[in-house]
Amino acid sequence: MSRVLAAVAWPYANGPRHIGHVSGFGVPSDVFSRYMRMAGHDVLMVSGTDEHGTPIQVQADAEGVTPRELVDRYNRVIVEDLHGLGLSYDLFTRTTTGNHYQVVQELFSGLYDNGYIIAKTTLGAISPSTGRTLPDRYIEGTCPICGYDSARGDQCDNCGNQLDPDQLINPRSKINGETPEFVETEHFFLDLPAFAEQLNAWLDTREGWRPNVLKFSKNLIDDLQPRAITRDLEWGVPIPLEAWRERDDKRIYVWFDAVIGYLSASIEWARRTGDPEAWRQWWQDPQAEGFYFMGKDNIVFHSVIWPSILLGYSGPKPQALGALNLPTEVVSSEYLTMEGRKFSSSRRVVIYVRDFLERYDADALRYFIAVAGPESNDTDFTWSEFRRRNNDELVAGWGNLVNRSISMAAKNFGEIPAAGELTAEDTALLASVRAGYDGVGQLLAKHRQKAAITEAMRVVGEVNKYFSDQAPWKLKEDKARMGTVLHVALQAVRDCNTLLTPFLPHAAQRIHELLGGTGVHAPMPEIREVEDLDTGRTYPVLMGDYTVGAKWEHVEIVAGTKLEAPTPVFKKLDESIVEEELARLQG
């Protein structure tokens, strides 16, 4: 057994999340975490809502509420949505906790003490009409490096280079289109160039990373620049230095505080479980592994900036929390588009998780993301393809096998029948299904989830073929053989259900019960209302007991276990849903 940290990107709390978001950070991390727990590893899966920064302030002003009121609202919405998807967080928290503030300030102070934070006078962007600071991401212009005409003030999404807003050609505000004014302001910067040699050496040791992630990361090292770590704003973590701590016009930049959330959430989890030092087992044990899940627009923060923060805090002078582990792997997904267009809330090209779950099963979405999601290439979500996958694969393939095998056994025996003498066909099927544990498991461990679920469904196809070939409905005159065939089929269904549990946990629990199983097969997260450990504020978190549930191993079914006639596990989708959803999309 090893300890595995699943560090999941933090969704921004300025609105509900759509299915494109959860296809990058949510479902892949949960599939991996569920598999690793089933395989016997000690998993710590953490994240939370990212709640600071000027975009929150801008939106709060537009809605006539305080930033706190805005993030409180969307924190709860996001928690409920992720709960509905069955994402098994050990702790899903938020960045506005007293614990998070303390950890962020500790890392800032440690980096400063080690000489990796430097003060510089720079040019800050101001809105001429409001006099307020414009966040870098709210400034667009032409990239001075590659000429891309929609580069942001912090980074060009086309060439991946870090930028400052004043470097943009023809900069403009994304809020109102006006040209920003640039004024001198003092800020603190993380000295990224100081880590270039260490980062290069570390990246050279990374094996098994997705090629696009590793190549992109190494390309960034050649042109690292100091990056601003503070900003002129009112909403964020205070700067923990004398003469700065009490200032209400300077805060730590949101990108810096958000990546530290992986550590602060681990520490909060440890504090909530009664062992405040337990987090160290995932962050300081050399044998522990850390896997970071996000969309490709966040690669730079996890493969370059966060490792730099960890390296800088860990040395040369020892700091209060001690040396911290670097990531084992940055697991980045590409983009999910929708009906050929980019997701855009402002253009109403969007499917919010909440709306989806009101109309369709969570496992139907989880299945689509796993089998057809943006694992290594941009992928398009279409309602017609979603319906086809659901009906032809989940319903007609897996669901139909479950239903007809259990219903036939229930009707003819009322229980799991005993197996008589096995034929060559029987033993071949059972061996093939059992081989799926190694095949599917190895793919899941390497983050090849699309190949893993494809392999699991191939095994389901083998069982379907066996069932059709053996035709137990024709064996009414040979009850013993009928019982053997059904026993073999039900055993295969039991094993296939285990193989599919990381992907389809809701259905897996149901199928476990249809097979006469009791207790928890696929543990689910719980929404718990908790008090802030330091401030007393209340807020919802996701936590759960994941020490229970199925293991990644073959378990013999027990003849004589009572069976009831099942109802369908998955819902078939009518053809009209495609027209209805496209009509919704068009407004």
Side-chain angles (χ1 to χ4, degrees):
M1 181 190 77
S2 64
R3 290 188 174 84
V4 174
L5 173 71
V8 190
W10 293 57
Y12 201 52
N14 64 338
R17 299 298 87 185
H18 57 63
I19 66 170
H21 291 130
V22 296
S23 71
F25 75 82
V27 173
S29 60
D30 185 62
V31 170
F32 175 76
S33 296
R34 285 181 178 276
Y35 163 71
M36 294 301 279
R37 291 189 189 107
M38 292 174 72
H41 300 285
D42 196 352
V43 175
L44 179 61
M45 179 177 169
V46 293
S47 186
T49 42
D50 178 6
E51 301 184 358
H52 291 126
T54 310
I56 295 287
Q57 180 75 64
V58 169
Q59 185 167 337
D61 288 349
E63 295 187 16
V65 298
T66 66
R68 167 66 68 174
E69 290 171 330
L70 185 80
V71 298
D72 280 350
R73 181 202 314 163
Y74 288 121
N75 163 258
R76 186 170 295 276
V77 167
I78 292 169
V79 164
E80 291 173 353
D81 287 351
L82 302 186
H83 174 263
L85 280 171
L87 304 188
S88 57
Y89 290 98
D90 290 277
L91 179 65
F92 184 89
T93 179
R94 60 197 304 187
T95 59
T96 50
T97 67
N99 174 80
H100 180 71
Y101 275 42
Q102 292 169 23
V103 177
V104 170
Q105 291 176 330
E106 168 59 28
L107 263 68
F108 184 103
S109 299
L111 287 163
Y112 186 84
D113 189 43
N114 277 330
Y116 294 117
I117 290 181
I118 53 180
K120 289 176 61 178
T121 298
T122 185
L123 293 177
I126 302 294
S127 166
S129 61
T130 66
R132 301 188 74 160
T133 300
L134 278 172
D136 294 351
R137 285 182 170 233
Y138 273 57
I139 303 170
E140 272 189 347
T142 300
C143 176
I145 299 170
C146 72
Y148 180 58
D149 63 1
S150 295
R152 298 195 311 260
D154 62 343
Q155 180 179 322
C156 175
D157 285 338
N158 186 56
C159 66
N161 283 287
Q162 299 171 54
L163 298 171
D164 288 320
D166 59 294
Q167 293 178 284
L168 294 174
I169 301 168
N170 298 322
R172 58 192 177 276
S173 167
K174 291 177 67 175
I175 298 173
N176 55 22
E178 66 186 4
T179 301
E181 294 178 356
F182 292 97
V183 299
E184 286 193 345
T185 182
E186 186 179 14
H187 282 294
F188 292 102
F189 284 69
L190 178 62
D191 188 9
L192 286 175
F195 303 103
E197 187 175 336
Q198 287 175 283
L199 289 172
N200 247 327
W202 170 67
L203 288 171
D204 283 341
T205 67
R206 300 299 87 199
E207 297 179 356
W209 283 30
R210 293 174 180 172
N212 61 319
V213 178
L214 192 57
K215 181 179 179 181
F216 179 79
S217 303
K218 287 189 72 67
N219 286 342
L220 294 173
I221 304 299
D222 295 336
D223 193 34
L224 286 180
Q225 302 295 325
R227 189 172 182 121
I229 206 170
T230 58
R231 269 296 179 262
D232 294 310
L233 63 150
E234 305 158 11
W235 176 243
V237 180
I239 300 166
L241 298 176
E242 290 301 321
W244 292 81
R245 192 183 299 272
E246 303 302 323
R247 293 187 62 166
D248 60 8
D249 62 336
K250 301 277 187 182
R251 290 291 185 271
I252 290 175
Y253 207 172
V254 65
W255 67 259
F256 180 82
D257 108 63
V259 293
I260 294 173
Y262 303 118
L263 177 60
S264 69
S266 301
I267 292 173
E268 181 185 343
W269 167 83
R271 294 175 67 189
R272 290 197 179 281
T273 55
D275 182 1
E277 302 300 308
W279 64 272
R280 297 183 185 276
Q281 299 171 79
W282 283 268
W283 285 89
Q284 295 178 324
D285 181 348
Q287 302 303 312
E289 297 182 297
F291 299 90
Y292 290 71
F293 294 84
M294 80 291 305
K296 66 180 178 182
D297 54 337
N298 278 322
I299 292 174
V300 62
F301 295 103
H302 296 84
S303 66
V304 174
I305 294 173
W306 179 228
S308 297
I309 294 171
L310 293 168
L311 288 167
Y313 182 83
S314 297
K317 300 176 186 177
Q319 300 298 321
L321 297 178
L324 303 168
N325 290 346
L326 293 176
T328 302
E329 184 173 353
V330 173
V331 187
S332 167
S333 298
E334 301 295 298
Y335 291 140
L336 186 72
T337 55
M338 178 182 171
E339 299 289 348
R341 293 181 284 174
K342 287 184 177 181
F343 278 94
S344 171
S345 299
S346 61
R347 298 186 182 95
R348 300 185 66 179
V349 183
V350 68
I351 313 168
Y352 291 118
V353 172
R354 171 156 301 196
D355 295 337
F356 192 102
L357 295 180
E358 285 178 355
R359 301 194 287 273
Y360 309 104
D361 292 338
D363 280 0
L365 177 58
R366 291 175 64 109
Y367 179 77
F368 184 91
I369 291 171
V371 77
E375 182 178 288
S376 55
N377 300 99
D378 290 352
T379 304
D380 195 36
F381 176 94
T382 67
W383 284 108
S384 60
E385 180 66 358
F386 169 69
R387 176 180 175 273
R388 185 191 72 78
R389 293 277 189 182
N390 180 84
N391 289 359
D392 295 355
E393 297 170 13
L394 276 186
V395 176
W398 177 224
N400 187 46
L401 172 64
V402 171
N403 190 72
R404 62 179 180 161
S405 59
I406 295 177
S407 62
M408 189 167 292
K411 179 180 179 181
N412 290 279
F413 297 90
E415 61 186 30
I416 295 176
E421 186 176 348
L422 299 184
T423 66
E425 290 81 6
D426 300 337
T427 56
L429 177 75
L430 293 173
S432 180
V433 173
R434 289 185 69 167
Y437 287 100
D438 284 340
V440 175
Q442 288 173 16
L443 291 167
L444 284 172
K446 295 176 181 176
H447 309 290
R448 296 184 59 198
Q449 295 185 7
K450 189 175 294 188
I453 197 166
T454 299
E455 174 62 14
M457 292 299 284
R458 185 195 65 77
V459 175
V460 168
E462 282 193 25
V463 184
N464 264 316
K465 184 177 186 304
Y466 167 86
F467 200 83
S468 296
D469 290 347
Q470 298 301 315
W473 55 89
K474 295 180 180 179
L475 298 173
K476 291 183 179 179
E477 302 302 319
D478 188 353
K479 209 72 180 289
R481 179 59 189 160
M482 176 192 275
T484 299
V485 170
L486 288 173
H487 184 99
V488 170
L490 292 173
Q491 179 65 66
V493 167
R494 171 68 173 80
D495 285 315
C496 286
N497 194 44
T498 303
L499 298 180
L500 288 166
T501 295
F503 305 101
L504 310 172
H506 304 86
Q509 180 66 39
R510 179 119 182 274
I511 293 167
H512 168 73
E513 294 166 3
L514 289 175
L515 286 168
T518 57
V520 176
H521 175 86
M524 288 292 166
E526 304 168 4
I527 298 177
R528 301 178 186 174
E529 299 290 333
V530 300
E531 283 191 359
D532 189 302
L533 294 167
D534 302 288
T535 69
R537 283 181 172 273
T538 60
Y539 58 98
V541 300
L542 288 178
M543 300 184 77
D545 178 8
Y546 309 114
T547 61
V548 296
K551 302 303 180 187
W552 194 256
E553 61 189 17
H554 168 80
V555 175
E556 293 283 343
I557 57 174
V558 178
T561 301
K562 299 299 180 184
L563 296 177
E564 302 288 339
T567 54
V569 177
F570 303 105
K571 298 175 185 175
K572 188 172 183 179
L573 302 178
D574 188 78
E575 191 173 347
S576 63
I577 74 113
V578 176
E579 294 179 3
E580 291 169 1
E581 293 295 351
L582 290 176
R584 277 195 191 95
L585 185 60
Q586 293 163 5

